[in-house]
């Protein structure tokens, strides 16, 4: 009798195993298919994963998907080149980004206000154009904070965009800037206009090299050799517009906030 019971038990076990093995596996009802696009949105910064970009921190170019270009001008403001550049930008209906030196802004507050009033974006280019990689963290912070303080005192706005002088940055520089939730903005095309190139050379350093999302570096500081750069600017704008590029500010190009939003900052 016992033997018969054991045989029956074994037979039932074998039957259960066979049925289980032949049955298709079912997904749990609440499991999301990882391949379903609607369930797995792309990370927000994916479109800016390009070259040396560190999305949310450091950028040398915008998205390659968009036929946009950003003009940037360093080392101003002052009273010779800055007004000429502003006049051209106004005539061409183009907005740009000006990375200003704190001491220059202090010396030419009306020009900084004009840059702001005409719809351009203002960025931080340190207090006195010191190479930040030669400084410790405390001194780096002081250079940036004093520049921001001057800009804020004139415009009521505190920049979140930082361009280290010469583009030089290291671990200390990055650490200080990122700790303030600010962004490092470099460039894709360098005109080297400060060297005194004529307008034809400046154009050749920009137009043939242009690609979607590129950032162009020019200058408007105290430099007697910028005539070629200013002369080339209208032709650069016209030619790139013909090629289908639209001109935007850095915050528009990179989808970044231009200024700190505090109780003391009024963003028009």
């Amino acid at each position: 009798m016992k033997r018969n019971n054991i045989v029956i038990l074994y037979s039932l076990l074998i039957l259960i195993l066979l049925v289980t093995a032949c049955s298709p596996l079912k997904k749990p009802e609440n499991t999301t298919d990882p391949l379903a696009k609607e369930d797995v949105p792309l990370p927000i910064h994916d479109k800016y994963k390009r070259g040396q970009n560190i999305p949310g921190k450091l950028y040398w170019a915008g998205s390659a998907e968009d036929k946009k270009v950003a003009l940037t001008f360093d080392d101003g403001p002052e009273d010779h080149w800055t007004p000429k550049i502003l006049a051209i930008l106004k005539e061409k209906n183009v907005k740009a980004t000006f990375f200003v030196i704190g001491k220059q802004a202090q010396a030419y507050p009306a020009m900084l206000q004009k840059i702001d009033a005409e719809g351009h974006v203002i960025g931080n280019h340190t207090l006195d154009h010191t190479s930040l990689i030669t400084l410790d963290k405390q001194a780096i912070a002081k250079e940036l904070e004093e520049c921001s303080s001057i800009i804020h005192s004139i415009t009521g706005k505190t920049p979140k965009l930082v361009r280290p002088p010469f583009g030089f940055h290291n671990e200390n520089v990055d650490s200080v800037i990122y700790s303030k939730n600010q962004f490092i903005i470099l460039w894709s095309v360098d005109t080297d206009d400060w060297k005194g190139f004529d307008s034809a050379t400046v154009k050749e350093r920009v137009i043939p090299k242009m690609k979607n999302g590129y950032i162009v570096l020019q200058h408007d500081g105290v430099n007697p050799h910028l005539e070629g750069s200013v002369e080339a600017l209208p032709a650069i704008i016209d030619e790139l517009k013909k090629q289908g590029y639209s001109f935007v500010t850095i915050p528009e190009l990179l989808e970044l906030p231009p200024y700190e939003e505090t109780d003391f900052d009024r963003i028009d």
Side-chain angles (χ1 to χ4, degrees), residues 71-74 81 84-85 88-89 190-206 216-221 223-237:
L71 298 178
T72 66
F73 299 90
D74 286 11
W81 303 119
K84 291 178 185 292
I85 290 168
I88 293 168
L89 295 176
D190 187 352
T191 60
D192 276 332
D193 56 354
W194 58 273
K195 295 179 179 178
F197 292 135
D198 61 23
S199 61
T201 302
V202 173
K203 285 186 286 186
E204 281 301 306
R205 294 184 68 84
V206 176
V216 180
L217 168 61
Q218 291 178 264
H219 294 82
D220 70 323
N223 183 323
H225 308 299
L226 297 178
E227 189 69 43
S229 183
V230 175
E231 287 181 359
L233 185 56
I236 290 171
I237 292 171

Side-chain angles (χ1 to χ4, degrees), residues 24-146:
L25 292 173
K26 292 183 180 179
K27 288 193 219 176
E29 289 181 8
N30 294 327
T31 299
T32 301
D33 183 355
L35 298 179
K37 290 183 180 179
E38 63 273 18
D39 294 325
V40 186
L42 288 174
I44 190 168
H45 295 306
D46 260 16
K47 67 186 291 188
Y48 298 110
K49 287 182 179 177
R50 181 183 191 185
Q52 296 84 30
N53 280 0
I54 306 173
K57 293 185 175 182
L58 179 150
Y59 300 84
W60 70 276
S63 170
E65 298 173 11
D66 304 319
K67 204 169 181 65
K68 297 177 180 178
V69 57
L71 298 178
T72 66
F73 299 90
D74 286 11
D75 299 354
E78 46 76 76
D79 62 357
H80 184 67
W81 303 119
T82 305
K84 291 178 185 292
I85 290 168
L86 288 176
I88 293 168
L89 295 176
K90 188 172 185 177
E91 179 189 352
K92 300 295 182 181
N93 194 28
V94 167
K95 304 302 181 189
T97 304
F98 289 77
F99 288 93
V100 307
I101 296 172
K103 288 185 176 178
Q104 288 298 118
Q106 203 167 37
Y108 299 94
M111 196 56 62
L112 188 70
Q113 289 172 336
K114 185 175 176 63
I115 291 171
D116 180 48
E118 295 190 358
H120 306 291
V121 171
I122 296 167
N124 187 326
H125 201 39
T126 73
L127 177 66
D128 55 12
H129 208 268
T130 298
S131 175
L132 295 179
I133 62 173
T134 65
L135 307 178
D136 60 25
K137 286 186 178 182
Q138 185 176 359
I140 293 167
K142 184 178 179 182
E143 275 283 329
L144 296 172
E145 288 166 4
E146 291 192 11

